[in-house]
Amino acid sequence: MTNSSAASDNNNEIGNNPKLERTPVVLIADDDPSIRLVLRHTMEQSGYHVIEVANGLEAVQATIKQIPDLILMDAVMPEMDGFRATEEIKKITECHDTPILMATSLDDDRSIARAFDVGACDYITKPFNWSVLKHRTSRMLFAADAERKIRHLAYHDVLTGLPNRALFMDRIDQAISRAKRENSQFALLFLDIDHFKVINDSMGHAAGDELLNIVSTRLIGVLRKTDTVARLGGDEFTIVIEGLNEAEAVVSVVKNILATLDSPISVNEKEVHIGGSIGIAMYPQDGESFGTLLKNSDIAMYRAKELGRKTFQFYAHEMSQKAMQRLDLESQIRSALKSEEFIVYYQPKVDLVSGECRGMEALVRWQHPEKGLITPDKFIPLAEETGLIIQLDEWVIRTACQQFKEWRAAGYQINNLSVNLSARHFKEGGLLNHCKDIIDDIKISPESIEIELTESALVDNYVRAKEILTEIHQMGIRIALDDFGTGYASMSYLKEFPFDTVKLDRSFIQGLPDNIEDAAIVKAMIQLAEALNLNMVAEGVETEQQKVFLLDNGCVYGQGYLWSKPVSADEFESVFLEKNT
Ligand code: C2E
Ligand code: CA
Ligand code: CA
């Protein structure tokens, strides 16, 4: 890096300021050859490299050719004097911070003031006091160097040495000016390392840091010198690629990046496999400012991740609309929680032999003031993503438990209540305490509550989920595996976790009794549940034939439209509940 402003230092440099390792360059501008000779000697003795010129004009020209670390400028020279030359040099962007020491024999206040006015850092009077001169130059170089270091720190990422967000922003602003001038376009790439968090968590932060350094070196390796790569933080990198004739030209660069990330990386003497997801925003069509371009490349990156990682996506306008709608929905869910717009519906769980209602499943609905009744598939996924599901689930469980208790108190015959729980509870923690609080507050017997969980909730959180569920089970709360058969390592999970019930997924019931495969699977699953001493509930039973098949094969409980859709508490009470006689 030279004496340049932060915005113009060399692209893609890594690590510390190279300035420290090389000899400082001092430019001497004086029309008196004998003074130049002594000055050169003194400066070289101090360990500097010297360039000599004889007037102001030459000083400006020499500076443009090679930016010095310090300029010693005589005030009075032919052609162009030192004041003018200083003024001209300060106009060069790269020389904003270059210290200039003005040498003047005119020891009057006016010239000193003028020297500072035009941009000199300090002045020294002629004839020189050599020891003062040595001191002053070395102090100025030291100060300039310290300033440079501070600036380097302020504009670079400490870990990788890559430009940071502030410098990247500056680069984008420059790229925008250039593109405007040249009527060209450029691409902003947003790169996120796939599975970085897993490696960081499992192998430790030092390994994570090492990985990020390797990634940054590889990125520099596949990019041109004129491209800028920056680290925004975490595992997020941004890249600007200029001089593109068409948007498609960026694709080959992106493919190179993905390819270089795809080859294994050795960290801690272990080979790890990563990959990247890249979002691309083009100037000017996808945004005309740094903020918009960055936001849109980020949106496109998320889309790439959704599409299955190790891939890239161009930003498209519809994406931002979708993102806006999601934001909108998120804030609506938040306020719906506050204003209690959610309601709980109940679906009966029926004894297949007697046809009697034995329990019910609580299923949430959203009574939207404008859109009417909204089913959970429209809002649960987003609630899960944003973590709002924790609050929502707790509200549903409380409401349903309260209702259940009232029905019991009123003398209705009802055995148990099932509630659904999101996988998020295992990631956030606190589930056990939520359960305890609810049971304490409402004073409901834990044995009458069954929580329903899907396999996916368990797969991602295997160890913790097992611990938590075991404790919850010890409290007396029953546990059901929901959507059984749709997931992963179902069979072993049935033995590993403290389940009481499995709920056979609707997709297997649909094909009954004619679909041979479904019939075989359902039979086998019923047998498995029997062998493991688990209750079996068939979900989504819609026809009499399906019920008969299930009954014939030993399934005990069913749920589905054959008996009823989920209904409001009032309807449930009037249609399904009977008092003890
Ligand atoms: P799920 O737990 O598998 O619930 C069963 C879903 O199947 C319900 O959809 C129910 O209305 C529907 N269903 C029941 N019988 C039949 C049938 O015979 N035919 C058909 N076609 N469908 C039937 P719903 O109420 O829309 O809920 C969808 C999913 O949303 C639930 O699937 C559950 O995963 C989730 N969910 C609902 N309420 C909550 C809640 O309070 N908390 C959490 N975390 N998730 C919930
Ligand atoms: Ca369920
Ligand atoms: Ca289910």
Side-chain angles (χ1 to χ4, degrees), residues 384-409:
E384 296 212 320
E385 230 174 90
T386 53
L388 287 169
I389 192 74
I390 306 279
Q391 257 174 289
L392 181 60
D393 275 353
E394 199 184 332
W395 181 85
V396 171
I397 297 172
R398 272 182 190 277
T399 309
C401 285
Q402 191 63 46
Q403 181 66 73
F404 182 83
K405 197 184 153 194
E406 282 167 24
W407 278 332
R408 273 272 185 96

Side-chain angles (χ1 to χ4, degrees), residues 63-75:
T63 301
I64 293 171
K65 238 166 100 191
Q66 185 188 1
I67 296 158
D69 298 286
L70 177 80
I71 303 175
L72 233 144
M73 184 80 82
D74 188 18

Side-chain angles (χ1 to χ4, degrees), residues 357-481:
C357 167
R358 283 298 152 84
M360 71 257 202
E361 177 175 0
L363 292 156
V364 70
R365 299 287 181 268
W366 183 358
Q367 187 65 61
H368 196 284
E370 287 139 36
K371 295 181 193 151
L373 199 67
I374 305 180
T375 49
D377 54 303
K378 303 279 193 310
F379 58 87
I380 293 258
L382 189 66
E384 296 212 320
E385 230 174 90
T386 53
L388 287 169
I389 192 74
I390 306 279
Q391 257 174 289
L392 181 60
D393 275 353
E394 199 184 332
W395 181 85
V396 171
I397 297 172
R398 272 182 190 277
T399 309
C401 285
Q402 191 63 46
Q403 181 66 73
F404 182 83
K405 197 184 153 194
E406 282 167 24
W407 278 332
R408 273 272 185 96
Y412 288 121
Q413 251 188 329
I414 189 102
N415 291 344
N416 62 67
L417 164 72
S418 299
V419 291
N420 293 286
L421 273 190
S422 151
R424 264 315 264 258
H425 293 276
F426 295 117
K427 291 190 189 122
E428 314 273 318
L431 180 58
L432 196 63
N433 289 331
H434 286 321
C435 289
K436 281 189 183 135
D437 287 351
I438 291 171
I439 286 168
D440 286 352
D441 290 353
I442 301 181
K443 307 208 167 36
I444 185 170
S445 78
E447 291 75 19
S448 46
I449 309 172
E450 185 160 86
I451 58 177
E452 298 190 358
L453 291 152
T454 59
E455 285 162 45
S456 60
L458 311 175
V459 171
D460 291 342
N461 312 280
Y462 189 87
V463 180
R464 280 198 72 192
K466 201 168 147 184
E467 282 167 15
I468 296 170
L469 288 183
T470 305
E471 273 197 67
I472 289 179
H473 199 241
Q474 277 161 2
M475 284 167 63
I477 293 177
R478 295 156 59 85
I479 300 169
L481 179 60

Side-chain angles (χ1 to χ4, degrees), residues 252-363:
S252 64
V253 181
V254 168
K255 283 189 174 156
N256 285 343
I257 296 174
L258 290 176
T260 190
L261 294 178
D262 204 20
S263 59
I265 293 181
S266 137
V267 175
N268 268 358
E269 287 159 18
K270 265 203 200 102
E271 274 212 341
V272 296
H273 293 261
I274 56 161
S277 302
I278 297 177
I280 307 163
M282 299 293 302
Y283 174 90
Q285 59 266 40
D286 297 334
E288 299 198 19
S289 68
F290 169 73
T292 316
L293 286 167
L294 187 71
K295 188 189 81 203
N296 290 345
S297 63
D298 189 17
I299 290 172
M301 185 277 289
Y302 267 96
R303 182 87 188 100
K305 270 209 194 301
E306 273 172 23
L307 288 179
R309 297 165 196 271
K310 292 193 184 183
T311 182
F312 65 93
Q313 274 292 298
F314 278 96
Y315 171 78
H317 184 59
E318 312 88 73
M319 276 184 211
S320 79
Q321 279 184 326
K322 230 178 105 187
M324 289 303 293
Q325 280 168 1
R326 281 163 55 96
L327 274 178
D328 198 39
L329 181 61
E330 184 185 339
S331 72
Q332 283 190 36
I333 295 176
R334 264 178 223 284
S335 65
L337 274 166
K338 278 205 199 94
S339 50
E340 305 231 329
E341 285 168 23
F342 291 104
I343 45 174
V344 182
Y345 268 37
Y346 299 92
Q347 187 179 37
K349 192 160 42 166
V350 177
D351 181 325
L352 293 179
V353 183
S354 66
E356 279 167 10
C357 167
R358 283 298 152 84
M360 71 257 202
E361 177 175 0
L363 292 156

